[in-house]
């Protein structure tokens, strides 16, 4: 999983992820938007759930983050479609709407995102 952080001219931080993990970037860019308190909440729940059987989700405006402490799933809230209506051989493109990664990898991204946000140029 590759990703890059950038800061635009207004100072807003955004992150882009490699193919297959784009929804993670969308979650950071649409839901977090520099809100380090939200990252603290997610991080606390990830650690609390590690090794257990419970799960937790953070429902945002555009994306929902779900975790069981072992893995993290980010999914677009509008991803529910009825596939019976598609013509034969066609399917919806949803590669940028759903991403999965391990909890430890996600926590690494959170740490680097936080560090990037705090760094003044």
């Amino acid at each position: 999983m590759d990703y890059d952080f950038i800061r635009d001219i207004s100072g807003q931080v955004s992150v882009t992820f490699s193919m297959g993990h784009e929804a993670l970037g969308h979650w950071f860019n649409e839901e977090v938007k520099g809100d380090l308190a939200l990252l603290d909440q997610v991080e606390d729940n990830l650690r609390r759930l590690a090794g257990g059987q419970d799960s937790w989700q953070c429902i945002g405006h555009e994306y929902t983050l779900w975790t069981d402490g072992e893995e993290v799933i980010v999914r677009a809230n509008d991803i529910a479609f009825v596939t019976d209506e598609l013509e034969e051989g066609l399917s919806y493109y949803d590669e940028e709407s759903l991403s999965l990664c391990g909890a430890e990898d996600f926590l690494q991204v959170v740490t680097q995102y936080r560090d990037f946000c705090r760094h003044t140029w």
Side-chain angles (χ1 to χ4, degrees):
M1 170 172 74
D2 295 324
Y3 48 91
D4 290 309
F5 300 105
I6 48 177
R7 185 182 307 269
D8 67 19
I9 195 160
S10 70
Q12 180 70 38
V13 173
S14 64
V15 59
T16 56
F17 280 78
S18 57
M19 285 184 62
H21 295 98
E22 296 97 337
L24 291 170
H26 297 318
W27 182 79
F28 276 96
N29 298 335
E30 298 297 322
E31 305 300 338
V32 177
K33 296 182 187 176
D35 181 359
L36 301 183
L38 175 59
L39 292 181
D40 291 341
Q41 180 185 16
V42 170
E43 195 172 29
D44 290 346
N45 279 288
L46 273 166
R47 289 199 164 88
R48 178 182 61 82
L49 295 169
Q53 293 183 345
D54 291 334
S55 64
W56 177 79
Q57 66 181 355
C58 179
I59 301 171
H61 298 286
E62 300 289 329
Y63 290 85
T64 295
L65 180 142
W66 177 92
T67 185
D68 62 0
E70 300 284 323
E71 70 179 339
V72 172
I73 299 172
V74 171
R75 163 188 163 290
N77 292 342
D78 63 357
I79 198 171
F81 349 90
V82 178
T83 57
D84 295 341
E85 298 173 13
L86 289 175
E87 291 182 34
E88 186 177 329
L90 297 179
S91 65
Y92 285 105
Y93 175 78
D94 64 353
E95 294 294 314
E96 294 180 14
S97 300
L98 178 70
S99 296
L100 293 86
C101 74
E104 289 302 316
D105 290 337
F106 185 78
L107 287 172
Q108 240 180 354
V109 176
V110 167
T111 298
Q112 292 177 3
Y113 181 90
R114 187 180 282 121
D115 291 346
F116 191 86
C117 285
R118 290 179 176 154
H119 190 283
T120 57
W121 303 98

